[in-house]
Amino acid sequence: MKTLGEIEAAICQGVSRFEQEFMGRGPKCVHAHLIDDLIVVRLQGVLTAAEQQLVKTLPPEKGRDLLKQVRTQLVETARPVLESLVEEIAGVKVLSLHHDISTVIPTTSRAASPASLILIPAALRWLATVGRSTPPIV
């Protein structure tokens, strides 16, 4: 049986590999947290240079909305891959998967990058609700 830390580490590695292979760029930083029946994964540093430019040059709402639409479509297309990844690692069925991306770009390298719900310069989180017939692994 895997420990909580082993599950979280394996999910970090799997999601990082997914981002690299499917999205074309891996995150600079990734953290996974298993909380009761939720798996929360936060990635930082995943915006490509082109995406950063898009967000900076277009009007704020338009650039943000366009980036969110593209990323949402990509994640929805890859949903079976992500669900399979979580199911294989955690040994439980994924009931739902939620994601969001922040397009706020810090103005200095020392600025904290903002988080948003399931990138330095923005944050991406995956939130997976998993079905569990046994108590959480601790």
Side-chain angles (χ1 to χ4, degrees):
M1 178 172 285
K2 295 179 186 174
T3 66
L4 176 67
E6 290 171 334
I7 292 172
E8 290 173 342
I11 287 174
C12 286
Q13 292 171 350
V15 170
S16 184
R17 190 172 48 254
F18 164 81
E19 284 286 322
Q20 178 66 43
E21 294 170 0
F22 197 83
M23 301 295 199
R25 176 190 168 121
K28 290 185 179 180
C29 183
V30 60
H31 295 280
H33 306 278
L34 182 56
I35 307 163
D36 293 326
D37 64 347
L38 295 177
I39 299 171
V40 179
V41 182
R42 180 174 186 243
L43 296 92
Q44 292 180 286
V46 299
L47 284 182
T48 65
E51 289 171 330
Q52 291 178 37
Q53 203 56 31
L54 183 71
V55 171
K56 281 193 250 181
T57 57
L58 290 176
E61 306 80 33
K62 188 172 184 177
R64 179 191 65 227
D65 291 348
L66 184 58
L67 179 59
K68 284 183 180 245
Q69 286 175 349
V70 169
R71 284 285 180 145
T72 296
Q73 187 60 48
L74 288 169
V75 170
E76 288 302 317
T77 301
R79 179 180 293 272
V81 175
L82 290 166
E83 289 178 351
S84 176
L85 172 93
V86 171
E87 289 174 10
E88 181 180 316
I89 293 168
V92 291
K93 182 170 176 41
V94 173
L95 301 178
S96 62
L97 177 72
H98 310 276
H99 56 88
D100 197 5
I101 189 165
S102 172
T103 58
V104 177
I105 298 176
T107 55
T108 68
S109 61
R110 301 189 78 179
S113 120
S116 62
L117 182 67
I118 232 227
L119 309 164
I120 291 188
L124 171 68
R125 282 195 188 172
W126 304 103
L127 177 64
T129 305
V130 294
R132 183 183 300 277
S133 58
T134 59
I137 300 167
V138 287

